[in-house]
Amino acid sequence: MTAKPRVRINARNEISAINGFSVPPGVYGRGRRDAARHDISELNGWSPGIAYAGSDYFGDMATIMGRSRDLDANNAWINGGLDRRVEAVVGGNIRLSAQPVYQLFNRDYAWRVKWAADTQPRFKVWANDIDRRCDARMMLSFGAMVKLAYLTYIRDGEACGEIRDDYRGIPNPTNVLLIEPERISNPQDRALTEGPQLRNGITYDKNGAPTGYWVASRHQNDPTPGVEPIRWEWIPIRGKTGRRKFLHVFNPRHVAQNRGISRLAEAMVPAKMIDRVDRAEVEAALKSAILSFFIKSPGTTKDLEDALASADDGTADAWISDYVQYRKEAPIRLEGASIVHLLPEEDVVTPSRNSPNANYPDFVRFVLQKIAGSLGISYPQLSQDWAGINYSSARALLNELWRSFLEDRHFFTQAFCTPIYAAWLEMEVANGDIKIPGGPANFYRLKTAITMAEWIGPGRGSVDPLKEANANNLDTAAGRTSTVQHILEAGRDPEDVMNEEAWYLQSRADRSLAVPNHNVKADAAGSDAADGNGGTEQDHDGDGIPLEDKKRKPMEQPA
């Protein structure tokens, strides 16, 4: 027979265990930390369970995804915020910057630059094929596919695609088929086999690594009549050579999580709140406009009926008829206004407009700040309200956002773009169009080293171009940064910039033009107030003290 646990409570109300049974902290009212207590009003009744991340989201996935897409389609704030995020992180024309680890191939940096210069144009032509053969549906360029995939990633929580091979008139048959995430699901005949090796349409090995995906042949809610019944196809994550065949990108927040969660999940309640307040404000304004004034009469409704009633013979009151006829013959006119004649002792009353929320602008700002924080953008970006932003706050805002954008760009492009580039490069090497040191076999031995790449997206932008250009020059001169880094931050490819500069200088030399002098401050050029000492309009002598002339006391004139 199992013994019942007994506890002892000492004078300090501390609970200790007897006969080997432990007492979980907080069970009897007080834990070791305030966060575990239940007798605090703020924590009373708050006892969320610890669910398994591998299946916790499965029941809510369809609801959250449907609501996120509805917000994107019908909420202007959410739609604009998503667009701002996509524009800043990947844009519509992301470009490859091949960066193979040349040391592992016993090559030098010059070889890396030359190899990248040969590889990148070939990828660029494939990515921007005029017939869009990089897209399985032949609709989008590679950059447009990345943009759509990233939008799906932040709105739906995950992005999916299949890497395929279809020979359609170009040497490299690699193409990508974007797939909506909800099509990844358990087949109907395997719905009851959910377990460690099959969860939410994804199969796993004994270590928990995904091995493939069950993908429905069409969307589950496709209303097209006459379509074939849904079939599920299992697509392995890699082919026989290790070439990637399926892409599934999401940003997990738990170790065992296997499906993505929409970035809008935390913003849905505030977004619907602001929708309701917006509608209430608009309805109040419409009522105020429609019911612009009332006629206040001293009599009752019966008195008004008697005054307007017809006489016994069916004709209107003679006085009223005479009055109406007189006003027809001699109307009162006033340009731009309407004159209404009232009955005796009537008065015009204008109702006051009662707003549902007197602090509507402040409330909207508060809610939009919460939504902006959830989307990972700034409030001014979301609302387009730049009032009160000065140079210092704009710089701080840009620095904070840029770190977030770069982190997200690196994560997404390495998970989505780099596998596509590796699959494309494998086919290029197999065709003999791109050479690898050591031959094609070395591609598989050192696959990661040869496919290393960064992706050039939209530029960082600037708040004050002159100040930031001067700061970049100082950092470069001091060896803290490189010119290449500044070019990449501007969203340009350093190789393109140097080629353009070389062509430009050669073209000037061919025309007997002097080499341009770029060592000139922008506001000093063409300024009569600037001298040859590097001064500016504000700082004439270039000593760093602006408006120095105005601060000096005028010299006394001799008598």
Side-chain angles (χ1 to χ4, degrees):
M1 181 176 180
T2 304
K4 294 182 179 180
R6 292 181 297 161
V7 298
R8 178 187 295 117
I9 302 178
N10 59 23
R12 295 188 301 273
N13 287 330
E14 294 176 346
I15 304 174
S16 60
I18 305 177
N19 66 13
F21 289 92
S22 62
V23 181
V27 171
Y28 292 97
R30 178 177 175 82
R32 294 182 180 180
R33 300 181 184 275
D34 286 345
R37 293 174 58 179
H38 296 273
D39 57 338
I40 301 177
S41 58
E42 291 78 8
L43 304 179
N44 186 24
W46 184 27
S47 300
I50 302 177
Y52 174 60
S55 57
D56 181 43
Y57 178 52
F58 183 68
D60 301 332
M61 181 177 177
T63 302
I64 295 178
M65 189 177 295
R67 288 174 176 174
S68 66
R69 292 180 180 178
D70 183 72
L71 286 175
D72 182 24
N74 298 306
N75 187 295
W77 300 113
I78 296 296
N79 179 272
L82 291 174
D83 287 346
R84 299 295 84 74
R85 179 82 187 183
V86 173
E87 292 166 3
V89 175
V90 297
N93 186 30
I94 199 160
R95 286 155 292 158
L96 167 69
S97 176
Q99 298 182 3
V101 183
Y102 57 90
Q103 295 93 334
L104 298 184
F105 296 93
N106 295 322
R107 296 295 191 270
D108 56 12
Y109 190 81
W111 173 86
R112 169 186 145 168
V113 173
K114 184 180 183 306
W115 188 88
D118 294 337
T119 302
Q120 289 171 190
R122 297 189 63 85
F123 184 84
K124 181 178 181 180
V125 171
W126 173 84
N128 295 278
D129 179 66
I130 192 171
D131 292 319
R132 303 295 188 253
R133 283 169 285 192
C134 60
D135 179 13
R137 296 183 176 90
M138 299 181 67
M139 294 174 54
L140 304 174
S141 66
F142 177 75
M145 281 195 294
V146 174
K147 179 180 178 180
L148 178 57
Y150 182 75
L151 172 62
T152 306
Y153 162 71
I154 59 174
R155 183 194 60 205
D156 298 346
E158 52 189 12
C160 307
E162 181 187 1
I163 300 178
R164 304 154 60 110
D165 292 319
D166 295 301
Y167 289 91
R168 295 184 287 194
I170 55 177
N172 196 318
T174 306
N175 61 83
V176 180
L177 176 67
L178 296 180
I179 296 175
E180 292 181 326
E182 61 268 30
R183 287 177 56 188
I184 300 176
S185 57
N186 290 342
Q188 291 180 347
D189 60 343
R190 298 172 185 260
L192 301 179
T193 60
E194 184 90 3
Q197 294 184 326
L198 175 63
R199 292 192 186 278
N200 299 335
I202 308 173
T203 59
Y204 298 89
D205 63 14
K206 62 180 181 180
N207 295 321
T211 58
Y213 295 79
W214 285 103
V215 180
S217 58
R218 61 177 176 84
H219 197 279
Q220 293 88 333
N221 296 322
D222 186 355
T224 306
V227 295
E228 296 181 358
I230 297 179
R231 297 175 290 99
W232 276 262
E233 178 186 1
W234 185 78
I235 304 176
I237 193 170
R238 292 176 182 85
K240 294 180 180 180
T241 64
R243 187 169 182 251
R244 195 68 173 268
K245 293 183 65 67
F246 198 86
L247 304 169
H248 182 214
V249 184
F250 66 98
N251 195 356
R253 299 186 72 91
H254 302 280
V255 174
Q257 184 176 337
N258 51 42
R259 298 301 296 264
I261 301 176
S262 171
R263 193 156 192 161
L264 300 178
E266 294 79 13
M268 288 182 180
V269 174
K272 297 306 291 184
M273 288 169 54
I274 203 170
D275 270 351
R276 294 182 62 185
V277 174
D278 279 346
R279 286 196 296 270
E281 286 291 328
V282 171
E283 289 174 1
L286 287 174
K287 291 177 181 177
S288 178
I290 295 172
L291 303 176
S292 55
F293 61 86
F294 296 98
I295 303 299
K296 182 179 179 180
S297 174
T300 63
T301 304
K302 185 66 170 57
D303 296 334
L304 186 61
E305 290 176 353
D306 294 340
L308 297 177
S310 301
D312 294 338
D313 58 357
T315 60
D317 185 90
W319 180 85
I320 294 178
S321 300
D322 294 342
Y323 181 80
V324 172
Q325 183 63 29
Y326 172 73
R327 283 308 178 197
K328 285 183 178 179
E329 296 174 356
I332 300 177
R333 301 182 183 277
L334 183 63
E335 185 178 356
S338 176
I339 306 300
V340 179
H341 300 284
L342 305 179
L343 294 176
E345 298 186 24
E346 284 187 335
D347 190 14
V348 177
V349 178
T350 303
S352 59
R353 179 178 181 271
N354 295 321
S355 175
N357 186 358
N359 299 318
Y360 175 71
D362 294 334
F363 172 78
V364 170
R365 181 185 180 91
F366 169 73
V367 176
L368 289 182
Q369 285 174 340
K370 296 177 65 176
I371 296 175
S374 178
L375 290 176
I377 59 176
S378 66
Y379 164 75
Q381 282 182 293
L382 180 63
S383 65
Q384 297 299 300
D385 177 15
W386 300 92
I389 300 293
N390 55 30
Y391 174 76
S392 298
S393 59
R395 282 284 299 173
L397 193 66
L398 182 60
N399 290 337
E400 290 296 321
L401 290 174
W402 187 244
R403 282 197 296 270
S404 172
F405 293 160
L406 283 184
E407 185 274 334
D408 211 17
R409 179 188 299 172
H410 179 79
F411 175 84
F412 183 79
T413 55
Q414 294 303 318
F416 187 84
C417 301
T418 301
I420 297 175
Y421 163 61
W424 170 87
L425 183 59
E426 181 175 346
M427 191 60 68
E428 291 285 307
V429 172
N431 291 339
D433 295 322
I434 294 179
K435 305 300 182 182
I436 300 294
N442 239 12
F443 175 86
Y444 299 101
R445 296 192 191 101
L446 301 171
K447 183 176 180 179
T448 300
I450 198 64
T451 58
M452 291 283 282
E454 291 293 337
W455 297 87
I456 304 174
R460 182 175 184 268
S462 61
V463 179
D464 189 324
L466 177 61
K467 290 181 180 179
E468 294 172 21
N470 291 334
N472 290 342
N473 291 338
L474 291 174
D475 285 340
T476 304
R480 291 186 290 266
T481 59
S482 68
T483 303
V484 172
Q485 177 181 341
H486 297 309
I487 295 175
L488 290 173
E489 285 187 354
R492 296 294 310 279
D493 187 338
E495 191 72 21
D496 290 343
V497 173
M498 288 188 292
N499 289 336
E500 290 171 7
E501 188 70 10
W503 171 85
Y504 175 67
L505 294 177
Q506 184 61 46
S507 297
R508 290 184 66 92
D510 294 342
R511 292 167 174 79
S512 300
L513 297 175
V515 178
N517 179 20
H518 298 300
N519 191 23
V520 179
K521 290 190 175 181
D523 53 354
S527 174
D528 295 336
D531 55 25
N533 297 324
T536 66
E537 183 178 357
Q538 300 290 328
D539 181 13
H540 289 178
D541 54 6
D543 62 354
I545 304 177
L547 304 176
E548 198 171 9
D549 297 339
K550 296 183 179 181
K551 297 178 182 178
R552 293 173 181 167
K553 294 182 179 180
M555 297 179 61
E556 295 183 1
Q557 299 292 332

